[in-house]
Amino acid sequence: MKRILLFILPILIIVAAAFTVFGIIQVRFEEEKLIEDVQRKARSIAEGMELSVRHVLEDNDLKNANYLVEKFQTRERLQGCVIYNRTGEVFAITRRFRDWKEKQKLYLIDVIQTKEPHGELEQFKGYTVYSYVLPVFNEDKTLIGLVEILHDTSYVFPRLAAMWRRLSVTLAVLLVLILGISIFLQNQIFVLPVQRLTEWFKHFQKGETDADQPIKEKGELGKLASEVEQVALSLRVARKTISDQASQRLQKDELWTEAKLRDLIHAKLGDNAFFVISNREPYMHIMDEATGAVSLIRPASGVVTAIHPILCACGGTWIAHGSGNADKKFVNSKDKLGVPPKDNRYILKRVWLSKQEEDGYYYGFSNEGLWPLCHNTHTRPLFREEDWLTYRKVNRKFCDSLLEELPVQRPFIFIQDYHFTLLAKMIKEKRPDAKIALFWHIPWPTPEAFQICPYHKDILEGMLGCDLIGFHVQNHCNNFLDTANRLLESRVDTEKFSVVRSGKESFVRAFPISINGHTDRAAAGSDTQQAEKLRQEFNLKGQIVGLGVDRIDYTKGIVERILAIDRFLEKYPQYRKRFVFVQLAAPSRTHIKRYHDLIAEIDELAERTNWKYMDGDWKPLVYLERYFSADEIAPFYSLADICIVSSLHDGMNLVAKEYVAEKRDAGGCLILSQFTGASKELTDALLINPYSIEEFADSIRRAIEMPSEEKMKRMQNMRKTVAENNVYRWAANIITELTALKTA
Ligand code: ADQ
């Protein structure tokens, strides 16, 4: 509309200007005509009176003179009449016009001298009259007096004003007509066809349009539309072919790869679109406030590590919170962008949250409430009503953002984690045909622990909107079924592993998450060289190197790890100056006090431990507190003789699997907390209880002193497990299960 107005505005201005000039000319012309008319009338009246005035002046007959001047006052539009003697003094004057005497009338002298009549518009006491003065002569042609006719002009100006009014109304009607016709024509010729084309595109995007609904546009737009139709046709054919070929390739039984997962998805989902929703986005645009330089980073998040390769394999749309400070600069008008940056494999749609929303939903309810609730780390969960309300609001916001994208054909929606417990129910209310899976990346607690949450019923109800709910390990599934059974009116089917509530069945399954197995990392060859560089950089020559890679989180047991290293060096002093532990630590959730305090606690502990043992240029801890890219982390894995994962409680822990996958020579040893999901699969790791500092310290010694054949055997077994159960298999299992479900 704005654009249409911009286009029409110059036309309106030109028409208005032309009309105004025309109006001025018209009014002037009319004014002249009216004044001429008055003149003519005044003159004819004066001439008509000339003879009578001559008689009364010759006879000095005041009585008849008064009769004469009063006789005219009843005449239409005549204001008055004055008879003067030869010197210009008033002889008789219309009574109503008595005050006229006071007016200074220089024109009388003119008429007496020139003996010529005189007519002019005259102002008097706020009104305008037309005065016509006629000299009166006797028979000898001697001037004996004057007669002045004062003619009313008051009707002239209202008439002109009325004319202006008429012209203005005509102009306004004209402008409205031009505007209306222009908008109508614009709509018919341009806007409506483009809207129809856009609608067609939208329907095509959502899979609602098929070959039986061709675009019917004509003209230039029609040509464009026809080109679009050809592209759409090719796409339709290509999709079908890919889907058929994929089904054939899937028959072969090999390790799960990106290509195989892609085949499975094409075969199982066909034309049905695939959507992922998570809080954390896979790519963040971060601007350095000081330099203004923008960098693209992959957040240190297990969820991102796991889901990214899947979407790379199968395409689709990933909806996530746009949390980078430069994120808004890199999206299109629909808040979307193609990623990875140079090889767009899928669409990332960013959802914007206000600071208040992020505080309440992410930092508050999700990470100060649900996160400690689900982890046994003795950190008290905090539940605030306003956080809960914001959490609900943000779930609704993500729901709306997703609904905008959903195609008509049954879509598949894959929700990630505890940030979106209410989402499935919200989606099902609008789109009961959608198939929804939720993967819970963290542990699920016992019913006793879960019911601490004041909103546990709403959360369970929200989650049971899903068709499939996945956890890392069977124990978490069992806890969930127990929770639904005890805290909600529902029926738990222990044979089918499902929960039925209000006639809707949700299946619960264990899907141990994994990594891509590093089978296709381009940088793999250079990792060993990079590792050597790191040895130089951190003074690690000849040292036994231990490694920890974590987000800084109290669940990861970083404090316990440093305490165990301290105890190890205390108990086994022969390893002083021979063992260095490198800790890569990415700060996270730093706005939460518990995390802020933890960063300070770890800093202080690392500092104290180094101070206690440092000797010459040797110190036991290299603490690198920052985010590292995957390519930066890989050489550290290569370098490390031991990797320590000491989580106090962890859904899975991908670092353990990344380390194993990176050890191509099958060297190295993994020390793994028994409280991680990974410990259920990586049974060849040295399993520890991180709370038992003594046992932990002994395990470090055991890892160092383990015979290399045993180390190699254990690592080979673990590598086989990770290679066979990689993230593609994880995704394939979930998609196979989801597409096979017979749900209402
Ligand atoms: P996290 O607890 O975030 O997520 P975790 O499994 O520990 O996940 O993986 C962390 C990821 O971040 C790894 O890929 C690691 O390489 C990376 N990372 C760690 N430190 C980093 C650093 N300093 N810089 C850059 N990257 C770093 C949740 C659950 C886990 C579960 C995952 C996946 O808490 O239990 O395994 O999801 O489901």
Side-chain angles (χ1 to χ4, degrees), residues 202-247:
K202 266 196 202 155
H203 289 302
F204 175 72
Q205 276 268 78
K206 295 191 166 207
E208 292 167 9
T209 308
D210 54 34
D212 305 334
Q213 295 168 297
I215 311 174
K216 296 185 192 89
E217 292 310 325
K218 302 225 162 19
E220 290 308 307
L221 272 175
K223 285 182 198 160
L224 172 67
S226 133
E227 290 304 315
V228 169
E229 228 171 7
Q230 301 321 307
V231 175
L233 179 67
S234 317
L235 265 175
R236 226 177 269 136
V237 172
R239 271 192 204 161
K240 176 83 179 76
T241 318
I242 287 172
S243 168
D244 291 348
Q245 289 170 350
S247 305

Side-chain angles (χ1 to χ4, degrees), residues 587-602:
S588 73
R589 306 173 192 169
T590 44
H591 300 307
I592 299 174
K593 185 171 182 307
R594 180 72 178 87
Y595 285 78
H596 192 265
D597 293 348
L598 179 68
I599 291 176
E601 186 186 351
I602 296 172

Side-chain angles (χ1 to χ4, degrees), residues 256-258 261 265 302-311 313 414 441 511-519 654 657 681 721-735:
W256 278 94
T257 58
E258 184 180 324
L261 176 66
I265 287 170
V303 177
V304 168
T305 307
I307 306 294
H308 173 73
I310 297 163
L311 278 202
F414 191 16
H441 289 260
F511 301 103
I513 206 167
S514 194
I515 53 166
N516 66 11
H518 290 253
T519 43
L654 296 179
K657 294 189 173 181
E681 288 176 273
T721 304
V722 172
E724 282 174 359
N725 301 295
N726 59 17
V727 75
Y728 303 118
R729 181 181 205 134
W730 173 79
N733 286 343
I734 293 178
I735 287 159

Side-chain angles (χ1 to χ4, degrees), residues 276-280 298-310 318 415-419 439-442 513 654 727 730:
V276 167
I277 297 167
S278 74
N279 170 70
R280 183 64 68 221
R298 303 276 313 281
S301 149
V303 177
V304 168
T305 307
I307 306 294
H308 173 73
I310 297 163
W318 185 336
I415 303 170
Q416 307 304 314
D417 237 356
Y418 58 101
H419 310 92
F439 192 79
W440 194 261
H441 289 260
I442 61 178
I513 206 167
L654 296 179
V727 75
W730 173 79

Side-chain angles (χ1 to χ4, degrees), residues 298-307 371 375 416-418 439-443 472 513-515 548-553 555-556 583-589 624-630 632-633 637 645 647 649-656 658 676-678 730:
R298 303 276 313 281
S301 149
V303 177
V304 168
T305 307
I307 306 294
W371 177 268
H375 288 92
Q416 307 304 314
D417 237 356
Y418 58 101
F439 192 79
W440 194 261
H441 289 260
I442 61 178
H472 289 300
I513 206 167
S514 194
I515 53 166
V549 181
D550 304 83
R551 271 190 312 105
I552 303 180
D553 194 299
T555 60
K556 301 292 178 188
Q583 174 68 53
L584 311 187
S588 73
R589 306 173 192 169
L624 303 174
E625 188 187 305
R626 70 167 172 92
Y627 164 83
F628 288 81
S629 70
E632 280 179 307
I633 296 175
Y637 285 140
V645 173
S647 311
H649 202 189
D650 216 332
M652 173 54 68
N653 194 291
L654 296 179
V655 171
E658 284 170 0
T676 58
W730 173 79

Side-chain angles (χ1 to χ4, degrees), residues 4 7-8 11-12 176-188:
I4 296 179
F7 168 74
I8 297 171
I11 300 177
L12 295 183
V176 170
L177 272 177
I178 293 174
L179 193 68
I181 290 170
S182 307
I183 291 174
F184 175 76
L185 288 179
Q186 277 252 15
N187 267 334
Q188 292 301 315

Side-chain angles (χ1 to χ4, degrees), residues 297-461:
I297 69 154
R298 303 276 313 281
S301 149
V303 177
V304 168
T305 307
I307 306 294
H308 173 73
I310 297 163
L311 278 202
C312 277
C314 66
T317 304
W318 185 336
I319 301 177
H321 170 208
S323 53
N325 62 358
D327 273 357
K328 284 196 176 159
K329 290 191 178 159
F330 293 88
V331 291
N332 65 16
S333 58
K334 302 262 182 188
D335 301 323
K336 296 181 194 171
L337 69 157
V339 286
K342 286 196 185 107
D343 173 29
N344 295 180
R345 302 276 204 96
Y346 61 94
I347 294 165
L348 169 61
K349 182 179 188 193
R350 288 171 169 159
V351 175
W352 314 115
L353 299 182
S354 68
K355 194 178 161 306
Q356 183 261 335
E357 285 172 335
E358 198 180 354
D359 277 347
Y361 136 84
Y362 178 71
Y363 290 108
F365 194 75
S366 298
N367 286 319
E368 285 190 290
L370 292 179
W371 177 268
L373 180 76
C374 294
H375 288 92
N376 297 331
T377 58
H378 312 286
T379 298
R380 186 190 172 130
L382 296 175
F383 293 108
R384 304 179 198 92
E385 178 73 5
E386 68 263 36
D387 288 351
W388 164 246
L389 295 177
T390 312
Y391 179 86
R392 255 187 7 203
K393 188 175 147 204
V394 171
N395 269 244
R396 172 68 59 199
K397 200 170 197 178
F398 272 81
C399 178
D400 293 343
S401 176
L402 172 77
L403 289 174
E404 271 174 23
E405 305 298 322
L406 292 188
V408 274
Q409 275 197 45
R410 211 161 50 152
F412 285 82
I413 299 159
F414 191 16
I415 303 170
Q416 307 304 314
D417 237 356
Y418 58 101
H419 310 92
F420 299 113
T421 55
L422 310 179
L423 193 53
K425 188 176 170 214
M426 291 174 177
I427 299 169
K428 282 275 175 166
E429 278 163 9
K430 300 275 179 205
R431 289 294 302 266
D433 63 313
K435 283 240 175 181
I436 308 178
L438 168 101
F439 192 79
W440 194 261
H441 289 260
I442 61 178
W444 187 274
T446 60
E448 292 75 20
F450 192 72
Q451 71 179 344
I452 290 172
C453 174
Y455 316 102
H456 61 261
K457 278 205 162 60
D458 300 75
I459 289 179
L460 288 169
E461 270 176 11

